[in-house]
Amino acid sequence: MNIKATLDRIPGGMMVVPLLLGATINTFFPNALRIGGFTEALFVNSASTLIALFLLIAGTQITFKTAGSSVGKGLTLLTFKWAIGAGLGFIAILFADSNGLFLGLAPLAIIAAMTNSNGGLYIALAGQYGKEDDKAAYPFLALSDGPFLTMVALSIFGAMGFANGMFSPMSFVAVLLPLIVGVIIGNLDRNMAEWLHKGSDKLVPFFAFALGMGINFSSIIQGGLGGILLGVLTVLLTGGIGYLLFKAIGWNPIVGASEGSTAGNAVGTPAAIVAANASFGPIAEIATVQIAASVVTTAILLPIFIGFLSKRLEKSGGVAKYNERPTT
């Protein structure tokens, strides 16, 4: 069987195929691998650990000369994705109907889904198409995790008057620390860095499968057409604009497009918002199911979208020309 060759022919195959396989098992046979022991530890609960290890290995490839580009890319990704989600959410608030919806979408769902990206998906795609400093930009994207940036947007819009205290700096440090450890190891011993780097790509299908075990296809049904539309818009707008922005700057545009997803933890954002301001209660339920549908939709569509963009780039030299450039 030519398993690897087949996966290589599928856009983002090393990521998307294991992810969809995990989601299929989780949807139809949710308890099949939840049997405890090493089986559940590897196939169900390993995503965070493997992503952390992947991030540490990425850090070993970052020298002090190239660290600045990781910061620049990370903050650029974070800023433009928040601006798009918050901007579209603001438009939705202005033109919402009597039910508080815009094109069938809850403004809260738009902001939460578009500003909160799937870090595992970004790591996998940046690992396949980008350089080490692209992967090392990930910790800065952790600032989008949870309800913090959604609350910032809502407070700016005047929908609520507070956002302070909703984000713990320690949670950012907790994401950043594996990268820092990797940077230290890589700068102390380049041989150790190269040895670790040889195994990094092998982690991708395993944490992708574990991510899939957290996805249930029924979320698309519950979220309805509105949730699917939200997922499509998230891929096309945040992914497409990220592509164009990075290309204009001179960075790998595929990496910019890799932010076009919705993270699973965004599903909990409406509940957190309601806990802070009960006036959002009537819209929280529909916002939650629409965000859940967006999570599944973007997890499926983004790797396909990335594959399409990558093929378009091949006409002008592909991603290799960006990855070969010295980091500035």
Side-chain angles (χ1 to χ4, degrees):
M1 296 180 66
N2 297 317
I3 297 176
K4 185 177 183 301
T6 301
L7 292 176
D8 288 341
R9 287 195 296 267
I10 299 172
M14 281 295 180
M15 173 69 185
V16 71
V17 172
L19 184 142
L20 291 177
L21 178 59
T24 300
I25 293 174
N26 187 57
T27 300
F28 298 104
F29 311 100
N31 296 318
L33 297 175
R34 290 180 170 87
I35 58 176
F38 292 147
T39 298
E40 187 168 351
L42 175 61
F43 295 117
V44 180
N45 302 323
S46 63
S48 295
T49 300
L50 293 178
I51 290 172
L53 178 57
F54 192 85
L55 194 60
L56 185 150
I57 294 174
T60 65
Q61 305 304 303
I62 303 299
T63 66
F64 293 123
K65 294 180 180 179
T66 64
S69 66
S70 298
V71 175
K73 291 177 179 180
L75 293 179
T76 299
L77 288 166
L78 180 70
T79 301
F80 92 77
K81 188 168 173 69
W82 179 84
I84 295 170
L88 191 57
F90 182 62
I91 294 173
I93 290 172
L94 290 179
F95 297 99
D97 59 24
S98 58
N99 295 318
L101 303 178
F102 175 71
L103 299 178
L105 297 174
L108 175 58
I110 293 173
I111 299 171
M114 288 194 173
T115 61
N116 196 331
S117 60
N118 187 325
L121 201 55
Y122 171 82
I123 284 286
L125 294 170
Q128 181 174 351
Y129 294 99
K131 297 188 298 183
E132 298 306 320
D133 63 322
D134 296 319
K135 289 182 283 186
Y138 168 73
F140 299 94
L141 307 181
L143 287 169
S144 70
D145 288 349
F148 173 66
L149 290 183
T150 300
M151 297 188 77
V152 170
L154 291 173
S155 66
I156 291 175
F157 302 154
M160 56 192 304
F162 57 93
N164 293 331
M166 298 304 297
F167 171 70
S168 169
M170 187 54 65
S171 62
F172 180 52
V173 173
V175 175
L176 189 64
L177 193 56
L179 176 73
I180 294 175
V181 172
V183 170
I184 294 172
I185 292 173
N187 281 272
L188 290 177
D189 186 350
R190 294 310 302 167
N191 289 329
M192 188 68 175
E194 293 305 315
W195 177 75
L196 287 169
H197 182 55
K198 293 176 181 178
S200 62
D201 292 343
K202 297 176 179 61
L203 298 175
V204 173
F206 292 97
F207 73 66
F209 183 89
L211 287 172
M213 286 297 295
I215 293 175
N216 193 309
F217 289 132
S218 64
S219 296
I220 292 182
I221 299 174
Q222 293 173 357
L225 293 178
I228 296 174
L229 174 62
L230 180 57
V232 172
L233 289 175
T234 299
V235 171
L236 294 180
L237 291 180
T238 63
I241 294 175
Y243 177 92
L244 296 175
L245 178 61
F246 265 50
K247 188 174 183 179
I249 295 173
W251 294 336
N252 186 342
I254 296 298
V255 174
S258 297
E259 266 290 84
S261 64
T262 300
N265 59 17
V267 176
T269 294
I273 297 297
V274 171
N277 189 327
S279 67
F280 286 92
I283 206 71
E285 183 176 357
I286 189 172
T288 298
V289 296
Q290 287 180 348
I291 293 169
S294 181
V295 171
V296 179
T297 302
T298 58
I300 295 171
L301 291 185
L302 183 60
I304 298 173
F305 184 56
I306 291 293
F308 168 75
L309 294 175
S310 177
K311 288 186 176 180
R312 285 182 60 89
L313 268 185
E314 290 178 1
K315 299 177 181 178
S316 59
V319 297
K321 67 178 182 179
Y322 294 98
N323 293 340
E324 290 171 358
R325 289 179 178 176
T327 303
T328 57

